Amino acid sequence: MFIPGIQQPAVHIAVLVATKNRNDLLRHRSLPSILNQSLVPDTVVLVEDDRFLRPSVSQLLFEELFPHGHYLTNQRTPGAAGAWNTGLDFLLRNASCDVHNVWVAILDDDDYWEPSHLSVCAGKISASQDMVVSGLIRVEDVDDDVVHQSIPARLTADALLVGNPHIQGSNLFVRLSSILQAGLFDEQLSSCTDRDLCLRLCNIDTQVVSTGIHTVRHYAEAGRPRLSSPASKEKHQGLERFYQKYGPLMNAAQQEAFLDRAYQLFDWRFENEGPISVQMPEREKLTPETIGFHLVLLSMYSANCPHRI
């Protein structure tokens, strides 16, 4: 309980990066941006998605730049979600304080934080907030003008079901306890993982505050392979899985908007014609308010872990 005038417990800021085959971007973009933060994080974790690389170039680079950091290999489902969950599992098992006071800042290995990012986000932390959202600066070509995207002030199921309201990996700054309560990342999704997690955070009434400042450079160059590239197999598979999972929660207008956006941006069509539906008894039908009770949530608690939600 927050009591005015009483000193609150210190927060622990943990940075989490998942990577695979992007050594140059790690060396010249994402890792230097962590080193340049005006607020030094308490913990830095890098998770290699390929567990068979021993030692990898990224491991040697990371250990050189962060001698007190933690290099891990993905011990769960191959892919970004499994890598992130491996890192979250590590943070849970090794938390030096209550997980409610651990804040996780995720950075994609091909993105960049402005030096003030962690400081700005940490400045918004309060007992009544569970998530801090900073603005994205979209960079489609390093030689062109950038786009400062709108910053959402709150999470809404309607916006998340239809599209991405400019919350994704590199501007996720969330309490570890909230991520655990929401069920972690869905490892069955090859893309749309951030939207999926945000929907479940929305479902548990996560309190969100905006920084009002753009501190994250999100690189979306057309000539570089990315999960969100229009021709990406992973993006198409992620959209398919996401629509199968959440289509029953959408009304007709939301389904139409989702499908139109997916086709226009990613050249993806749902294989079946017409709206998706699931036949259930009336009492079992899904609603946006009951998303969390009908999803298979990942469990990462161990019998010997002292920190439980």
Side-chain angles (χ1 to χ4, degrees):
M1 177 183 296
F2 177 70
I3 304 176
I6 302 298
Q7 184 176 4
Q8 302 303 308
V11 299
H12 184 105
I13 296 178
V15 171
L16 175 58
V17 182
T19 190
K20 185 176 182 179
N21 300 326
R22 283 178 170 168
N23 297 320
D24 286 343
L25 291 171
L26 280 175
R27 178 182 295 277
H28 299 294
R29 187 178 294 172
S30 55
L31 294 186
S33 79
I34 300 172
L35 281 174
N36 292 335
Q37 290 300 298
S38 58
L39 176 64
V40 178
D42 299 286
T43 303
V44 180
V45 178
L46 178 73
V47 185
E48 180 80 64
D49 189 27
D50 189 343
R51 72 179 68 178
F52 300 107
L53 292 176
R54 294 182 181 276
S56 70
V57 174
S58 58
Q59 177 182 1
L60 298 175
L61 171 63
F62 178 74
E63 292 177 347
E64 174 188 347
L65 297 178
F66 298 92
H68 301 293
H70 304 277
Y71 172 86
L72 311 173
T73 57
N74 185 359
Q75 299 300 308
R76 300 175 67 90
T77 307
W84 284 325
N85 285 345
T86 295
L88 293 170
D89 184 27
F90 173 85
L91 293 174
L92 171 64
R93 296 172 187 272
N94 294 276
S96 60
C97 60
D98 190 296
V99 292
H100 187 69
N101 296 320
V102 177
W103 286 77
V104 181
I106 293 179
L107 177 61
D108 288 344
D109 60 0
D110 56 346
D111 286 343
Y112 175 90
W113 284 339
E114 298 293 340
S116 62
H117 176 69
L118 292 180
S119 176
V120 167
C121 290
K124 290 291 184 177
I125 291 176
S126 72
S128 60
Q129 304 297 338
D130 308 299
M131 180 175 178
V132 179
V133 179
S134 184
L136 293 172
I137 305 170
R138 184 177 175 86
V139 184
E140 295 188 357
D141 189 308
V142 293
D143 296 323
D144 290 344
D145 293 335
V146 298
V147 177
H148 289 67
Q149 298 184 315
S150 61
I151 309 175
R154 59 194 181 98
L155 293 179
T156 67
D158 181 68
L160 289 161
L161 288 172
V162 171
N164 188 335
H166 304 150
I167 302 177
Q168 54 197 64
S170 294
N171 66 337
L172 283 174
F173 189 89
V174 192
R175 288 188 192 274
L176 178 57
S177 58
S178 296
I179 300 177
L180 295 171
Q181 186 181 354
L184 309 181
F185 289 95
D186 184 347
E187 297 179 20
Q188 300 305 308
L189 287 169
S190 57
S191 64
C192 303
T193 48
D194 34 38
R195 284 172 62 187
D196 172 77
L197 177 63
C198 285
L199 269 167
R200 288 179 281 114
L201 287 168
C202 181
N203 181 67
I204 61 172
D205 197 27
T206 299
Q207 299 301 301
V208 178
V209 62
S210 166
T211 66
I213 303 174
H214 293 78
T215 57
V216 178
R217 288 186 174 264
H218 168 56
Y219 286 83
E221 306 100 312
R224 178 172 59 85
R226 299 169 50 247
L227 283 178
S228 295
S229 298
S232 167
K233 178 182 69 173
E234 291 82 4
K235 186 62 180 181
H236 286 191
Q237 290 175 342
L239 287 166
E240 182 89 15
R241 168 71 177 171
F242 185 91
Y243 191 57
Q244 290 174 341
K245 184 175 182 178
Y246 290 107
L249 298 176
M250 302 178 188
N251 58 38
Q254 290 169 334
Q255 288 183 349
E256 182 179 359
F258 174 89
L259 293 172
D260 181 66
R261 178 181 184 272
Y263 176 68
Q264 294 297 329
L265 295 182
F266 306 109
D267 194 27
W268 174 81
R269 293 181 185 274
F270 187 54
E271 292 181 355
N272 299 334
E273 293 294 332
I276 185 173
S277 63
V278 175
Q279 298 299 319
M280 294 182 176
E282 185 67 29
R283 62 184 177 86
E284 289 295 326
K285 285 189 176 179
L286 303 179
T287 65
E289 289 74 23
T290 59
I291 291 174
F293 297 101
H294 295 273
L295 299 180
V296 178
L297 302 183
L298 301 171
S299 174
M300 295 178 67
Y301 301 109
S302 63
N304 60 354
C305 180
H307 302 290
R308 304 260 181 173
I309 301 303

